[in-house]
């Protein structure tokens, strides 16, 4: 029988990837303040996302999840949020048109501040300091003051998340996501690219279809699904004190606890130990959960984790985010999929083609070759088809900015080009052009999957 869960029961377990705060009194005070703040999201919204992901699990929708590697205090601004949202809408409409099914839109935004790291420290010129763990923990500057974990940063992260959510809700529900504006979502930075031409052709077809429906007498203004969209937020549940402070009991359903820091949270590949703090915390909240599944994941261990995190086997509760690398996906994914399928576990299968394909360039920058990202994505779809499960989503690190962080793509970004606009403080992200390019690849894969499912109509008598 499972131990009794409480929002703080994780504190009795080993906790990896947690910063060591020198001032424990200041940390406790910040957590007390956060516990009095309003929730960032609401239980009903999280339940709506669960239902939407349940449709993904049944093969009736597709999950598009993406955003910044780690959000930045310095780069927070309305234009950056708008440009990210525009690229996301472009990707979603490309996928919706191709798959002829809904796209569940979940951003890595309004809470994605903390990052797990390989080493707790880094050394430069003989000086060793704590590693940068994201703006919610410490700063990027290589000084003792900047790198000392500061709990007050959690308050700034909360306020930035609230401001970001406010703008995203306005964009999603205030008319910006109107399908009639599909041609206006194009970013000026990619207007001259081949993807832009493909997108423009698709946008024109959608625009003509809307005009046709209006000509037939359909009042488009009376259909909110054409004027608004549902957009959800997600982040890695890494900083458990912050998460606990924003964990609230649903007043309409006593006994049900929700992380109100985001609609969906996930457990990282480095913190998925079944008897550790992150799994303990996540098993008790009712939000939809993600679980990163890396190269070291064993089928039996994965099944035990599923039992703990999704004991009721509810559709939409658990998304398995596979991040194994382009060259390993064909070998490592089939045993995991077969084990989960054999036991009848209901999950969303999603591909993270970013984290398993990170390399160091010849110029010293951390990067991700775009061709490897495409390769892992294709392999994921091929393996899912061969094993008889639905390839339900992708999980991307991407931005609406015109950065040069991942090599390749139609602009053929080289190692030497990385220095031009390398803005990330952690992991390399797809730029807007590469993200749209990947969306068209996904569209082709989804279209093939949809065509394969189509059954011929039975012949009518007399025809």
């Amino acid at each position: 029988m499972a131990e009794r869960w409480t929002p703080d029961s994780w504190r009795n377990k080993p906790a990896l990837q947690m910063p060591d705060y020198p001032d424990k009194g200041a940390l406790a005070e910040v957590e007390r303040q956060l516990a009095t703040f309003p929730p960032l999201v609401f239980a009903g919204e999280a339940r709506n996302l669960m239902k939407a992901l349940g449709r993904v699990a049944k093969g009736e929708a597709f999950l598009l999840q993406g955003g910044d590697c780690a959000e930045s205090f310095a780069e927070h601004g309305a234009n950056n949020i708008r440009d990210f949202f525009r690229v996301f809408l472009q990707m979603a409409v490309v996928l919706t048109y191709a798959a002829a099914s809904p796209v569940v839109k979940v951003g890595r935004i309004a809470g994605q501040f903390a990052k797990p790291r390989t080493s707790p420290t880094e050394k430069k010129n003989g000086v060793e300091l704590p590693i940068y763990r994201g703006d919610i923990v410490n700063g990027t500057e290589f000084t003792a003051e900047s790198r000392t974990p500061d709990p007050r940063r959690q308050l700034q992260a909360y306020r930035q998340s609230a401001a970001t959510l406010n703008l995203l809700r306005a964009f999603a529900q205030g008319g910006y996501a109107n399908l009639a504006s599909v041609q206006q979502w194009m970013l000026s930075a990619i207007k001259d690219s081949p993807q832009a031409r493909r997108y423009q052709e698709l946008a024109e077809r959608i625009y003509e279809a809307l005009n046709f429906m209006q000509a037939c007498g359909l009042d488009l203004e009376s259909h909110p699904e054409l004027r608004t969209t549902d957009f959800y937020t997600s982040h890695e549940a890494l900083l458990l004190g912050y998460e606990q402070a924003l964990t609230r009991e649903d007043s309409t359903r006593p006994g049900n606890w929700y992380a109100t820091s985001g609609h969906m949270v996930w457990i990282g590949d480095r913190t998925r130990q079944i008897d550790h703090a992150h799994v303990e915390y996540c098993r008790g909240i009712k939000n939809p959960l993600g679980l990163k599944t890396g190269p070291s994941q064993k089928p039996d261990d994965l099944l035990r984790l599923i039992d703990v995190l999704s004991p009721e086997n509810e559709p939409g509760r658990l998304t398995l985010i596979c991040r194994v690398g382009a060259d390993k996906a064909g070998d490592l994914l089939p045993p995991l999929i077969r084990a989960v399928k054999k036991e009848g576990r209901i999950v969303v299968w999603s591909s993270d083609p970013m984290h398993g394909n990170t390399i160091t360039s010849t110029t010293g920058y951390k990067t991700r070759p775009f061709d490897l990202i495409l390769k892992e994505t294709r392999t994921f779809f091929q393996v899912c088809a061969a094993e008889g499960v639905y390839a339900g989503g992708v999980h991307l690190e991407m931005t609406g900015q015109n950065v040069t962080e991942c090599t390749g793509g139609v602009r053929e970004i080289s190692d030497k080009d990385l220095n031009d606009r390398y803005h990330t403080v952690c992991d390399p992200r797809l730029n807007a052009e590469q993200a749209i390019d990947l969306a068209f690849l996904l569209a082709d894969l989804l279209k093939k999957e949809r065509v394969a499912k189509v059954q011929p109509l039975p012949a009518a008598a007399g025809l």
Side-chain angles (χ1 to χ4, degrees):
M1 185 176 179
E3 298 176 16
R4 179 175 175 269
W5 182 90
T6 61
D8 65 349
S9 59
W10 64 269
R11 295 183 184 271
N12 300 320
K13 306 282 186 178
L16 301 181
Q17 295 291 333
M18 298 277 282
D20 182 15
Y21 290 98
D23 191 339
K24 300 297 191 293
L27 175 62
E29 176 57 29
V30 164
E31 291 175 355
R32 280 194 293 270
Q33 287 186 56
L34 285 169
T36 68
F37 287 0
L40 292 170
V41 303
F42 305 102
E45 294 174 328
R47 284 195 291 270
N48 289 339
L49 176 56
M50 181 93 80
K51 292 176 184 175
L53 290 171
R55 292 193 291 273
V56 176
K58 296 174 184 176
E60 299 170 357
F62 188 80
L63 169 62
L64 175 61
Q65 187 172 11
D68 251 322
C69 158
E71 291 177 88
S72 163
F73 291 165
E75 292 187 357
H76 183 243
N79 289 345
N80 283 346
I81 298 168
R82 179 204 60 205
D83 289 349
F84 160 74
F85 191 70
R86 285 168 70 176
V87 172
F88 214 85
L89 287 177
Q90 284 182 267
M91 297 177 73
V93 79
V94 168
L95 296 175
T96 302
Y97 193 85
S101 70
V103 171
V104 180
K105 294 172 278 296
V106 181
R108 286 175 56 112
I109 194 168
Q112 179 53 24
F113 289 101
K115 290 294 294 181
R117 306 308 300 266
T118 303
S119 171
T121 62
E122 70 172 319
K123 185 179 290 187
K124 290 183 180 180
N125 300 321
V127 178
E128 189 172 15
L129 293 175
I131 196 76
Y132 170 67
R133 290 185 176 273
D135 279 8
I136 196 172
V137 176
N138 55 5
T140 58
E141 298 82 5
F142 195 75
T143 65
E145 181 182 10
S146 175
R147 291 298 179 88
T148 300
D150 182 355
R152 291 169 297 183
R153 286 174 166 267
Q154 296 181 39
L155 302 176
Q156 186 172 349
Y158 171 89
R159 296 187 181 103
Q160 180 168 318
S161 296
T164 300
L165 264 166
N166 184 54
L167 188 56
L168 287 170
R169 286 186 170 118
F171 283 148
Q173 301 297 322
Y176 194 84
N178 194 326
L179 263 181
S181 304
V182 67
Q183 293 170 309
Q184 300 170 21
W185 298 339
M186 182 76 68
L187 289 169
S188 58
I190 62 172
K191 279 187 175 178
D192 297 326
S193 71
Q195 288 78 6
R197 289 191 288 275
R198 288 185 70 184
Y199 177 78
Q200 193 62 39
E201 291 170 2
L202 182 148
E204 288 171 0
R205 291 199 294 272
I206 293 173
Y207 191 68
E208 289 171 359
L210 293 175
N211 286 337
F212 173 75
M213 287 189 286
Q214 278 188 311
C216 290
L218 183 66
D219 180 10
L220 301 182
E221 291 301 312
S222 66
H223 291 269
E225 61 270 20
L226 297 177
R227 294 182 288 108
T228 64
T229 192
D230 292 324
F231 185 86
Y232 301 97
T233 64
S234 67
H235 61 270
E236 181 173 356
L238 193 62
L239 206 58
L240 293 180
Y242 178 85
E243 300 298 340
Q244 179 191 330
L246 291 172
T247 301
R248 309 291 161 80
E249 187 175 15
D250 182 3
S251 59
T252 67
R253 301 185 182 185
N256 290 326
W257 294 83
Y258 285 83
T260 67
S261 58
H263 299 108
M264 175 186 184
V265 296
W266 71 82
I267 300 169
D269 193 49
R270 292 185 176 96
T271 54
R272 55 174 166 78
Q273 298 82 6
I274 198 166
D275 56 350
H276 279 40
H278 292 83
V279 171
E280 170 63 21
Y281 170 76
C282 287
R283 77 176 177 91
I285 58 174
K286 297 297 183 181
N287 305 62
L289 301 175
L291 176 66
K292 287 289 187 86
T293 301
S296 64
Q297 182 72 79
K298 304 301 181 187
D300 289 346
D301 292 338
L302 177 57
L303 289 174
R304 283 191 284 271
L305 279 168
I306 294 173
D307 286 342
V308 169
L309 297 172
S310 184
E312 298 177 6
N313 208 23
E314 184 180 358
R317 163 65 172 178
L318 187 60
T319 297
L320 298 182
I321 307 166
C322 305
R323 41 144 298 176
V324 294
D327 295 331
K328 299 177 181 177
D331 294 326
L332 297 182
L333 289 179
L336 298 176
I337 293 175
R338 288 170 196 160
V340 174
K341 182 181 178 183
K342 180 182 178 182
E343 295 300 319
R345 303 298 195 270
I346 301 172
V347 299
V348 172
W349 289 101
S350 180
S351 173
D352 170 359
M354 308 293 295
H355 285 86
N357 297 304
T358 307
I359 64 171
T360 300
S361 72
T362 56
T363 50
Y365 286 93
K366 186 192 291 187
T367 189
R368 289 161 172 160
F370 191 56
D371 59 343
L372 291 183
I373 293 170
L374 297 181
K375 179 180 177 181
E376 182 162 355
T377 304
R378 289 192 190 95
T379 302
F380 173 76
F381 271 79
Q382 291 166 357
V383 170
C384 286
E387 298 299 331
V389 300
Y390 177 61
V394 290
H395 184 113
L396 308 170
E397 289 187 345
M398 50 170 281
T399 177
Q401 300 175 49
N402 185 23
V403 298
T404 52
E405 295 171 2
C406 293
T407 55
V410 293
R411 302 285 184 185
E412 297 183 348
I413 296 172
S414 68
D415 286 1
K416 294 180 180 179
D417 298 324
L418 294 175
N419 185 52
D420 289 350
R421 294 178 301 281
Y422 196 95
H423 297 161
T424 183
V425 292
C426 268
D427 291 337
R429 304 160 295 177
L430 298 173
N431 61 31
E433 195 171 71
Q434 291 167 329
I436 299 296
D437 196 2
L438 180 56
F440 277 111
L441 168 71
L442 288 166
D444 291 339
L445 294 170
L446 287 169
K447 194 179 299 182
K448 289 178 183 176
E449 196 170 67
R450 175 167 57 85
V451 170
K453 286 182 179 179
V454 172
Q455 300 295 323
L457 293 173
L463 293 180

